[in-house]
Amino acid sequence: MEDMIFYDRLQFAFTITFHYIFPQLTMGLSLLIVYFKWKYLRNNDEKYNNAAKFFMKIFAVNFTMGVVTGIPMEFQFGTNWAKFSELTGGIIGQTLAMEGMFSFFLESSFLALFIFGEKLMGQKLHFLTGFLVFLGSWASGWFILATNAWMQHPVGYEILENGKFVLENFSALFSNPWLLPAFLHNQLASVVTSSFVVASIGAFYILRKKQVEYGQLFLKTGVIFGLVSSLLVAFPTGDWNAKNVAKFQPGAFAAMEGIFETEHAGAEIVLIGQPNMVEKKLDNKIAVPNILSFLTYQDWDKKIPGMDQFKKEELPDNIPALYYSYHIMVGLGTIFIGVMMLALFFLWRRKLYTLKPLLWVIMFLVPFPYIANLTGWYVAELGRQPYLVYGLLKTSDGISPTVSSGNTLFTLLGFVALYMLLGLLFLVLVGKTINEGPKHQKH
Amino acid sequence: MEIFWYILIAIVLAVFFILDGYDFGTGIIHLFFAKKEKDKEVIAKAAGLFWDSNEVWLVAAGGMLFMAFPTFYASVFSGFYLPLIIVLWLIIFRAIGLEFRSQFKYQMWKDIWDASFGVSSLLLALFFGIALGNIVRGVNLGGVENGISVYEGHYFFLPLWDSSFSPLSETPGVIDWFTIIIGLISVVTLSIHGANWVILKTNSSINNKLKGVIFKLNIVLALLTIFSLVVWQIVNPNSFDNFADKPYLIVFPIIYLSGLVGLFFIKRIKKEVYGFVLSTLLIVGGITSSLASIFPVILPSINDVHKPLTIYNTAASEYGLSVSFTWGIIGCILIIVYMIIQKRLTKGKIDKMDYGH
């Protein structure tokens, strides 16, 4: 039983980590593509249209990867988490089925048109299809996060005698207080990723001294979008989410922040430190007093319960992993804001395009927004443990009763091998597209 | 409400097999009949342009099944664990075969991805047929061994095969001689369908030859169909009762039959779209007849301890289903609108369209 849960969780964590690399780019990139296309309609400068088409190619490769790695996510609810599906399908099936019917259809129907149909329909309609792709990808995020929000903070349900969750109030699923902050935070974080990708490709072109005209356009656009989105990710949406966790999952909040013992005169904010689970304290701690109380409740002296106040099952089962994920996410987010502010400053002084050290930094920073996004997702998921549905359904009660750990291990190994191949092919293909660069075309 | 969602899911699944079915069939045709590089390229393109928007139908069907019949979803997905995961891998292999073959000019690179596309299409067609075979045959619900239930009533687990390969064993596997016959029917049907799609959408040099291929495959299909009807009786003796009780259900086998008969005239058919329509009838008729033969059961039980799964004992709550009825209708209308727009803009032969992202 123990190793069944372990392999099921490992498989889900592995497949969703790999999957989430792709939609986080496409959701943000669709916004930038719409922006380029819109600029083209306004100023009729072919450069913007070629930029939109260039990023559409990268979008398409990512979309394909997102689809082929996304189908297993849906299937795994049934294959590996059958008990969970049976008990909650009547509720989260609603949001997942809506995702399929409303957003996925929208996105994929109009993606094909956007890629192949420019000549068939004229510029305004082409812009519209791009906009619908954007709408579809953001709606997808909305429905997926509605599903997750219900697991984090269940609403609108009733539990029958046989343990089944049944829907009692449909609209509650979408007015869940967890949903809007999580959605905005997540979408803006995906804009951060795509802005960094755009800026990084721009920096690469400038440093390589090829496609310099496009390099400058990409860098400028990436930096502006990157700064605005990084700021919005931290405040107000990040802050809003943290307050939600403190309110609805106080045990997870204490673990995230690394507060082992309750301090009655206001909680400090931990900047650095390693959780020591044996002695129940942080090693090598650097902390600033009273800040956490202020950030969470706007009150310097407000008490925040530490992990000593909770029973074992009210605390996440992997506290160090949660603590590190959270601190990596916050730390990286702070670095992003710093780098993008610096870049914007030099852009304003018209020195950015020749400032090689900063261009190198921007170019190589590209994996880090991915890491920040993924660790953000881990914070949400690890914080909810040991529950699948917070406080109501234990993770260990959600797995498939008939599937043995040997079978799960076999499929896990298969996914690892297949996804390594996929990842390699993906890098080759995107590398090739970036190396070729945008095409100078006129119609 | 249960019936509404059952029909809607059946329609979505049928559309998936009509649309993605030609991708599978195109892959099989590609594997066996495309020898010249020009043909290979154009045939891969005939599937490659559309596969990802076709895949949406599978995702939608999965989502609806999860929402409307959660117990069935949980039971079947965990029970057919290994074959389903293998299907996922094959879908991924087929997709990357299509997406990557045209990216580099080396012959070896193309050969690898052509093989990946062709073989995974063939295996997918086989597996989907086998899956249908399993659903009409029934499974050992509750994992009953010697009259004692090992799992809860609606759970089961099937290995890929049982050493006897017999559908009549107490614990049949996913693959046995009956499900293989259904699997072969699926392979032949989808090959015909894929060939019709290639003829419809391309100006490939093998198009004339393919009409002859369809004719021959159709003979094989007719023989397999007759043979399967005989063994069907052995495997599931009650399978024709539904048609006797509700004679209007006969319309589904008639749909299948008209496709089968029509395809014998394929060589004389001038308008290419009719061929495609006929193989569509085969798919629609085949799936609906199978489902109608067991309705309202959706998974028969081969033991006496546990009752079969029906659309009623696996459905979500009445309130949930009625809410989703409302948005389901809106969703359907939107999807039809998207489809019309998309098909209007991509009609005609694909030879001249841009492809390769």
Side-chain angles (χ1 to χ4, degrees):
Chain A
M1 190 67 184
E2 274 297 304
D3 54 345
M4 273 165 82
I5 302 164
F6 176 72
Y7 290 132
D8 279 325
R9 284 184 66 182
L10 194 61
Q11 178 164 326
F12 201 85
F14 173 73
T15 47
I16 200 143
T17 298
F18 193 77
H19 171 64
Y20 194 49
I21 290 172
F22 307 107
Q24 68 167 294
L25 182 76
T26 52
M27 287 189 297
L29 200 55
S30 61
L31 179 69
L32 281 142
I33 290 168
V34 166
Y35 165 76
F36 282 128
K37 196 74 207 180
W38 175 74
K39 285 288 276 189
Y40 171 62
L41 282 184
R42 299 253 335 233
N43 62 17
N44 225 9
D45 182 348
E46 279 295 336
K47 202 168 64 175
Y48 287 96
N49 200 28
N50 293 337
K53 281 192 280 189
F54 169 71
F55 283 110
M56 207 61 217
K57 277 189 205 163
I58 293 181
F59 182 100
V61 179
N62 275 275
F63 182 78
T64 301
M65 299 293 283
V67 174
V68 297
T69 56
I71 301 173
M73 299 318 307
E74 188 192 23
F75 273 48
Q76 276 182 66
F77 281 120
T79 52
N80 293 41
W81 302 94
K83 212 58 205 167
F84 168 66
S85 304
E86 186 195 347
L87 297 178
T88 65
I91 296 181
I92 62 172
Q94 296 272 352
T95 44
L96 284 178
M98 288 176 91
E99 198 258 347
M101 272 186 99
F102 287 106
S103 38
F104 197 32
F105 267 105
L106 183 66
E107 194 177 2
S108 54
S109 309
F110 289 99
L111 176 62
L113 291 180
F114 191 84
I115 295 174
F116 304 115
E118 192 185 358
K119 286 174 206 157
L120 296 171
M121 52 192 175
Q123 289 307 325
K124 280 199 177 137
L125 271 178
H126 194 233
F127 169 79
L128 186 68
T129 53
F131 182 76
L132 290 171
V133 171
F134 159 74
L135 202 68
S137 73
W138 281 52
S140 236
W142 171 256
F143 289 120
I144 294 299
L145 281 161
T147 313
N148 191 260
W150 186 82
M151 291 165 71
Q152 300 286 357
H153 180 62
V155 288
Y157 66 90
E158 193 185 356
I159 302 179
L160 301 182
E161 274 170 31
N162 56 13
K164 278 196 186 182
F165 291 76
V166 291
L167 190 62
E168 208 189 42
N169 183 352
F170 177 70
S171 58
L173 291 180
F174 298 102
S175 56
N176 189 337
W178 193 283
L179 174 56
L180 187 63
F183 172 71
L184 292 175
H185 189 60
N186 187 68
Q187 298 309 108
L188 287 163
S190 78
V191 178
V192 173
T193 301
S194 59
S195 307
F196 273 68
V197 168
V198 171
S200 168
I201 296 173
F204 171 67
Y205 287 156
I206 295 172
L207 287 169
R208 206 184 53 163
K209 298 197 172 63
K210 272 185 184 171
Q211 304 267 22
V212 175
E213 196 191 353
Y214 285 102
Q216 295 186 349
L217 172 66
F218 294 172
L219 186 62
K220 187 173 130 192
T221 314
V223 165
I224 294 170
F225 272 85
L227 180 64
V228 174
S229 56
S230 309
L231 285 170
L232 291 173
V233 164
F235 191 86
T237 63
D239 175 61
W240 194 2
N241 271 293
K243 284 176 179 148
N244 257 347
V245 178
K247 189 168 159 195
F248 298 121
Q249 300 180 353
F253 186 71
M256 259 161 63
E257 298 282 1
I259 318 167
F260 280 90
E261 278 172 50
T262 310
E263 284 176 56
H264 292 275
E268 61 191 12
I269 193 157
V270 176
L271 300 179
I272 292 176
Q274 296 86 44
N276 180 337
M277 295 313 292
V278 180
E279 292 175 34
K280 305 261 182 235
K281 70 178 187 66
L282 280 178
D283 293 336
N284 312 314
K285 183 167 75 172
I286 299 177
V288 188
N290 297 65
I291 298 284
L292 187 61
S293 291
F294 179 74
L295 287 179
T296 316
Y297 296 109
Q298 284 73 47
D299 175 352
W300 297 99
D301 296 320
K302 177 104 177 167
K303 180 184 114 175
I304 291 181
M307 284 179 262
D308 53 346
Q309 302 282 308
F310 297 97
K311 285 188 234 125
K312 194 169 169 286
E313 61 270 20
E314 291 169 332
L315 285 174
D317 53 10
N318 194 338
I319 290 164
L322 174 60
Y323 168 87
Y324 284 125
S325 298
Y326 180 65
H327 280 80
I328 290 170
M329 175 188 78
V330 173
L332 286 176
T334 315
I335 292 172
F336 298 157
I337 293 173
V339 172
M340 283 301 170
M341 274 186 166
L342 207 61
L344 192 70
F345 173 74
F346 286 112
L347 186 71
W348 172 60
R349 302 293 303 267
R350 296 175 195 282
K351 283 182 187 156
L352 180 63
Y353 301 143
T354 50
L355 198 67
K356 280 195 177 174
L358 190 58
L359 292 178
W360 281 99
V361 169
I362 291 174
M363 187 169 91
F364 280 113
L365 213 54
V366 81
F368 293 98
Y370 283 100
I371 295 172
N373 264 276
L374 286 169
T375 46
W377 194 252
Y378 298 157
V379 172
E381 298 297 87
L382 289 166
R384 197 191 58 227
Q385 293 302 328
Y387 293 101
L388 282 172
V389 182
Y390 189 75
L392 298 172
L393 178 66
K394 282 260 175 70
T395 306
S396 51
D397 297 330
I399 57 173
S400 300
T402 57
V403 179
S404 67
S405 57
N407 279 307
T408 318
L409 180 60
F410 170 71
T411 56
L412 170 64
L413 293 174
F415 274 116
V416 170
L418 188 55
Y419 281 9
M420 276 165 69
L421 174 72
L422 268 185
L424 197 68
L425 288 168
F426 170 75
L427 289 178
V428 169
L429 207 57
V430 170
K432 181 174 165 255
T433 311
I434 292 175
N435 198 38
E436 284 169 0
K439 291 200 182 85
H440 309 271
Q441 294 173 334
K442 293 210 160 130
H443 294 294
Chain B
M1 283 302 159
E2 286 91 350
I3 292 179
F4 168 79
W5 279 103
Y6 176 76
I7 292 173
L8 192 61
I9 291 168
I11 291 173
V12 170
L13 266 180
V15 173
F16 168 72
F17 282 110
I18 294 165
L19 295 179
D20 219 23
Y22 68 66
D23 292 341
F24 303 142
T26 308
I28 302 169
I29 295 297
H30 190 269
L31 189 63
F32 292 114
F33 300 105
K35 298 285 181 266
K36 282 187 258 167
E37 172 58 26
K38 187 86 194 86
D39 290 334
K40 285 187 186 174
E41 198 169 297
V42 82
I43 291 174
K45 206 159 107 174
L49 269 174
F50 305 103
W51 77 265
D52 49 1
S53 52
N54 295 343
E55 223 65 38
V56 181
W57 293 88
L58 180 66
V59 175
M64 291 174 183
L65 211 53
F66 189 15
M67 185 276 302
F69 304 105
T71 305
F72 176 73
Y73 183 84
S75 164
V76 163
F77 276 53
S78 62
F80 296 128
Y81 185 78
L82 280 178
L84 269 173
I85 302 266
I86 292 171
V87 161
L88 288 176
W89 294 345
L90 290 172
I91 287 177
I92 294 176
F93 264 111
R94 189 182 52 125
I96 56 181
L98 281 170
E99 292 290 319
F100 288 121
R101 86 174 296 280
S102 59
Q103 295 293 339
F104 292 94
K105 300 278 172 244
Y106 316 111
Q107 195 54 47
M108 207 176 124
W109 173 269
K110 288 186 178 170
D111 290 345
I112 292 171
W113 296 120
D114 281 346
S116 157
F117 167 50
V119 173
S120 47
S121 296
L122 177 69
L123 289 176
L124 276 169
L126 186 68
F127 260 97
F128 280 123
I130 289 176
L132 188 64
N134 272 277
I135 294 217
V136 293
R137 179 202 62 201
V139 300
N140 186 8
L141 278 174
V144 172
E145 283 167 22
N146 304 319
I148 299 161
S149 186
V150 193
Y151 308 118
E152 276 173 78
H154 48 274
Y155 280 105
F156 65 95
F157 182 83
L158 291 197
L160 281 182
W161 55 77
D162 179 74
S163 55
S164 67
F165 274 100
S166 164
L168 305 170
S169 119
E170 193 189 333
T171 53
V174 172
I175 301 171
D176 60 40
W177 56 256
F178 172 70
T179 60
I180 286 180
I181 292 169
I182 308 293
L184 289 177
I185 291 180
S186 156
V187 170
V188 177
T189 309
L190 294 181
S191 304
I192 294 174
H193 194 52
N196 276 321
W197 178 251
V198 172
I199 295 172
L200 178 65
K201 291 304 269 189
T202 75
N203 285 318
S204 174
S205 63
I206 59 170
N207 276 3
N208 264 329
K209 192 177 133 199
L210 282 180
K211 284 200 170 183
V213 170
I214 293 172
F215 186 77
K216 283 178 203 150
L217 284 176
N218 203 39
I219 297 173
V220 177
L221 182 63
L223 295 175
L224 275 173
T225 304
I226 294 165
F227 182 57
S228 75
L229 287 180
V230 178
V231 292
W232 206 301
Q233 278 300 292
I234 303 172
V235 172
N236 189 348
N238 306 324
S239 52
F240 297 143
D241 294 0
N242 254 354
F243 295 105
D245 293 347
K246 306 182 188 82
Y248 57 88
L249 291 178
I250 303 268
V251 68
F252 299 121
I254 289 175
I255 293 175
Y256 182 82
L257 202 64
S258 52
L260 194 65
V261 172
L263 281 166
F264 279 115
F265 301 97
I266 191 74
K267 285 181 181 166
R268 276 188 277 151
I269 291 177
K270 284 283 175 290
K271 252 192 137 175
E272 291 162 344
V273 71
Y274 289 139
F276 187 72
V277 170
L278 287 171
S279 47
T280 301
L281 292 181
L282 275 184
I283 295 174
V284 172
I287 295 174
T288 49
S289 307
S290 312
L291 294 180
S293 76
I294 55 173
F295 183 86
V297 170
I298 38 183
L299 188 66
S301 169
I302 58 166
N303 61 57
D304 301 327
V305 181
H306 294 292
K307 285 195 191 118
L309 299 185
T310 68
I311 60 169
Y312 302 108
N313 66 16
T314 60
S317 71
E318 200 53 38
Y319 171 71
L321 288 180
S322 62
V323 171
S324 56
F325 178 79
T326 316
W327 63 251
I329 296 222
I330 300 171
C332 288
I333 294 169
L334 282 175
I335 289 164
I336 292 167
V337 172
Y338 303 157
M339 294 295 288
I340 292 171
I341 298 176
Q342 196 195 9
K343 293 294 167 200
R344 281 189 64 143
L345 285 170
T346 54
K347 69 180 172 198
K349 302 276 182 187
I350 50 102
D351 303 56
K352 292 195 180 65
M353 279 183 208
D354 303 328
Y355 181 56
H357 306 319

